[in-house]
Amino acid sequence: MEPMELIRRIPKAELHLHIEGSLEPELMFEIARRNGVEIRFKSVEEVRKAYSFHNLQSFLDIYYEGAKVLLHEQDFHDLTRAYLERCREDHVVHTEIFFDPQTHTHRGVPFETVFKGIQRALVEARSEWGISSKLILCFLRHLSEEDAFETLRQAIPFKKDIIAVGLDSSEVGHPPSKFKRVFDAARAEGFLTVAHAGEEGPPAYVREALDLLGVRRIDHGVRSIEDPALFAEVVRKRIPLTVCPLSNIKLRVFPRLEDHNLKILLQKGACVTLNSDDPAYFGGYLNQNFRETVRALCLTSDEVRTLCENSFEGSFLSESEKEEWIRKIRELK
Ligand code: HPA
Ligand code: ZN
């Protein structure tokens, strides 16, 4: 099957998606209107024009600004449901979603409001469309350790529905070591762990995420390859890298998609997965990321299959669920 048809038909899991980053400008305006929240943009076009970034921080400033319209449980529900509709279109059958509670609790929105809105949409998507999901709570790394501890405390009543904790926001200057004690406490509560590392930050941050935070996956991790010993370990231990090509171009981690190292990482045997990160801001959902990456890097159909098998292997599904999806991929002729 040629790659473009394969992309449409193959079942896939998404492992790196910030729910706040799926807020499309149209929905931002609709929610702002019904909540009576002022936004600094006059039109959808003006919002899209502002989505021109030169690094991670310039994106984060706009991303936190957009999230200010989200106030009520229904808002978080509608946001999540809209993303899950896109999953359905792209044949994403399983998704592991990041949410950033501190972005909301710092504005006075209770943790419970955020969680319940997202969770209700996840339950609906499972029953209506058969899409399975997991939730991952991300700590904002530009905030303090104490703030992360407070967020962890707020999550405890909901822990049966939150599979893992992660680390996002401004990477450089906020190494994983800053959160070692919070991650120890989270693991003691039964949470799995992941962390953004090696996006803008150096390979040393990937090393810390593995050794100090006990992470099961590295989010991005494209700079791991700069440290040969580290990269050899990532390959040997099959530590999944949740790579987000369109994000990396928009945030200038690589100058052009043609320069992205995804194909090299894959050819060197890393467990690479492909993801959309913040699709409303970076120009496309999962299949768009696949299409553009296949074109720019001349990925073969076999490489597309490997990326999709890796997405299930690297997921937090049970071993039997993983095997079932991988078998379905292998049967797809
Ligand atoms: N990196 C760090 N923080 C983020 C990202 C990202 O790609 N997306 C949303 N928050
Ligand atoms: Zn991310």
Side-chain angles (χ1 to χ4, degrees):
M1 202 184 305
E2 55 89 25
M4 293 301 156
E5 189 189 349
L6 184 61
I7 291 167
R8 276 193 303 279
R9 293 184 43 199
I10 195 165
K12 36 193 110 60
E14 177 147 65
L15 306 181
H16 186 153
L17 178 284
H18 302 263
I19 200 62
E20 294 88 351
S22 72
L23 178 58
E24 291 288 343
E26 289 80 2
L27 187 58
M28 190 191 297
F29 272 89
E30 187 186 322
I31 296 178
R33 202 175 315 116
R34 75 187 187 208
N35 287 347
V37 175
E38 290 268 346
I39 43 182
R40 67 180 168 99
F41 304 106
K42 289 204 182 52
S43 64
V44 165
E45 293 69 44
E46 206 180 301
V47 180
R48 289 202 200 280
K49 248 194 236 139
Y51 289 179
S52 156
F53 315 112
H54 50 273
N55 59 16
L56 175 58
Q57 193 59 50
S58 64
F59 153 69
L60 290 169
D61 293 342
I62 286 199
Y63 162 85
Y64 295 130
E65 169 103 19
K68 286 184 185 160
V69 303
L70 303 165
L71 295 180
H72 306 295
E73 186 184 316
Q74 190 66 36
D75 305 337
F76 291 93
H77 167 274
D78 294 355
L79 168 70
T80 308
R81 185 163 174 110
Y83 162 66
L84 291 161
E85 279 175 358
R86 306 299 289 258
C87 287
R88 190 177 169 218
E89 285 169 25
D90 281 0
H91 204 14
V92 175
V93 298
H94 177 71
T95 178
E96 303 193 350
I97 297 178
F98 296 129
F99 72 117
D100 288 345
Q102 288 151 298
T103 299
H104 314 298
T105 53
H106 278 225
R107 299 179 291 114
V109 177
F111 186 102
E112 184 180 10
T113 301
V114 180
F115 171 81
K116 282 190 171 167
I118 297 172
Q119 180 68 8
R120 179 152 58 86
L122 298 180
V123 169
E124 287 170 4
R126 184 184 289 267
S127 70
E128 292 175 34
W129 305 325
I131 297 173
S132 60
S133 53
K134 309 273 183 199
L135 258 185
I136 303 173
L137 181 167
C138 274
F139 300 116
L140 300 183
R141 66 203 303 162
H142 67 279
L143 298 177
S144 68
E145 179 193 37
E146 180 46 36
D147 212 296
F149 264 114
E150 174 54 27
T151 305
L152 180 61
R153 276 192 286 277
Q154 292 170 2
I156 301 301
F158 310 101
K159 77 174 183 185
K160 81 168 182 37
D161 293 311
I162 300 174
I163 187 91
V165 300
L167 202 56
D168 66 1
S169 192
S170 324
E171 185 181 1
V172 175
H174 303 284
S177 52
K178 178 176 167 186
F179 296 94
K180 179 185 176 338
R181 287 183 295 195
V182 190
F183 273 61
D184 283 346
R187 290 210 312 274
E189 289 285 352
F191 294 99
L192 302 176
T193 61
V194 298
H196 283 55
E199 177 187 17
E200 282 191 346
Y205 285 18
V206 176
R207 176 92 266 157
E208 283 190 9
L210 292 170
D211 294 352
L212 304 181
L213 306 186
V215 298
R216 304 295 187 96
R217 304 197 284 252
I218 296 288
D219 295 313
H220 294 295
V222 291
R223 293 193 56 196
S224 311
I225 200 165
E226 294 171 24
D227 175 341
L230 170 72
F231 187 65
E233 183 179 327
V234 165
V235 171
R236 182 169 48 80
K237 294 189 174 162
R238 291 202 66 71
I239 308 290
L241 303 178
T242 64
V243 176
C244 308
L246 291 183
S247 163
N248 291 157
I249 303 316
K250 289 278 187 210
L251 303 187
R252 315 231 181 136
V253 174
F254 297 93
R256 301 172 313 150
L257 205 45
E258 288 75 9
D259 305 312
H260 199 288
N261 67 5
L262 177 138
K263 191 172 173 115
I264 296 166
L265 298 172
L266 206 54
Q267 286 174 342
K268 290 188 180 294
C271 183
V272 179
T273 71
L274 195 142
N275 308 273
S276 71
D277 206 3
D278 300 282
Y281 293 85
F282 298 150
Y285 289 78
L286 191 53
N287 283 6
Q288 187 70 20
N289 271 270
F290 267 101
R291 284 189 294 267
E292 294 196 31
T293 307
V294 161
R295 254 185 242 119
L297 301 180
C298 304
L299 298 185
T300 64
S301 289
D302 279 347
E303 286 170 323
V304 171
R305 286 174 184 273
T306 301
L307 288 167
C308 294
E309 289 191 17
N310 289 349
S311 75
F312 291 104
E313 179 189 335
S315 75
F316 295 138
L317 288 167
S318 68
E319 290 308 315
S320 62
E321 289 166 322
K322 292 182 188 187
E323 279 167 21
E324 184 65 18
W325 283 118
I326 291 171
R327 188 180 59 74
K328 286 202 173 113
I329 289 175
R330 294 188 179 161
E331 277 172 2
L332 183 68
K333 286 288 176 297

